[in-house]
């Protein structure tokens, strides 16, 4: 049986801002989860620039998920969201996304954009559940492996 379905119970996590002290742990997760992981420097830059932010989800005494975003004028971008494979289908990403949607809505953003691989069915299902839909397809956007990106949007009320 798929372990992601087995672990149904919600894990109540503590969501807080990502700091430089979290990056070693975040990078370990990032490398385990993505075929084309971000570098330490990419995260470091992202949490230090005005308008950019990162959140971590802590549960079971460790970081079990994280998400990053940036804001330009009234436009927000979700740059990544990921959950430790041992803690999936426990609403961790849901809690991260809800926090980000709250932050960007309070900052008067009208919509939030993201890119996702068309082959990433789990992420597509997750995003669709929370109000994102596909705007257009951007050819050859991803590397390792090469793949188009679907650009998705969620309008914020
Ligand atoms: C996509 C991802 C972030 C979801 O994290 P998660 O914590 O497991 O998601 P949640 O438990 O909050 O899921 C909320 C809802 O999204 C949908 N969903 C999430 N994962 C799903 C899956 N594998 N299959 C189908 N629907 C899924 C479900 O509707 C789920 O609600 P339910 O569990 O009550 O049915 C996680 O699978 C992940 O880290 N994937 C690898 C990294 C990645 O691809 N990130 C996105 C890059 S664009």
């Amino acid at each position: 049986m798929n372990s992601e379905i087995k672990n149904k119970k919600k894990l109540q996590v503590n969501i807080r801002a990502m700091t430089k002290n979290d990056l070693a742990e975040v990078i370990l997760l990032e490398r385990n989860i993505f075929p084309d992981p971000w570098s330490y420097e990419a995260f470091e830059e992202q949490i230090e620039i005005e308008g950019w932010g990162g959140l971590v989800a802590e549960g079971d005494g460790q970081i079990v998920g994280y998400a990053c975003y940036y804001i330009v004028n009234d436009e927000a971008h979700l740059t990544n969201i990921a959950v430790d494979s041992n803690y999936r289908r426990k609403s961790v990403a849901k809690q991260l996304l809800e926090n980000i949607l709250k932050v960007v809505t309070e900052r008067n953003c009208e919509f939030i954009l993201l890119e996702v691989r068309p082959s990433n069915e789990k992420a597509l299902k997750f995003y669709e559940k929370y109000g994102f839909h596909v705007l257009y397809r951007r050819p050859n956007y991803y590397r390792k492996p090469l793949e188009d990106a679907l650009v998705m949007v969620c309008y914020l009320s």
Side-chain angles (χ1 to χ4, degrees), residues 50-125:
E50 172 66 25
W52 294 59
L55 299 178
V56 292
E58 288 176 313
D60 262 2
Q62 58 184 310
I63 294 175
V64 295
Y66 55 93
C68 298
Y69 63 92
Y70 70 88
I71 296 172
V72 186
N73 303 322
D74 60 356
E75 188 179 314
H77 292 251
L78 182 68
T79 55
N80 59 2
I81 184 162
V83 173
D84 184 325
S85 56
N86 296 315
Y87 292 93
R88 292 195 186 148
R89 300 306 287 272
K90 290 170 171 286
S91 304
V92 174
K94 173 178 188 267
Q95 294 171 77
L96 282 163
L97 183 64
E98 281 173 351
N99 271 264
I100 287 185
L101 294 181
K102 184 166 180 280
V103 169
V104 301
T105 302
E106 283 169 2
R107 301 271 297 269
N108 297 320
C109 291
E110 294 197 353
F111 56 92
I112 180 163
L113 295 161
L114 60 83
E115 287 103 18
V116 59
R117 289 180 185 265
S119 62
N120 193 344
E121 290 174 17
K122 295 174 187 178
L124 278 167
K125 286 216 162 71

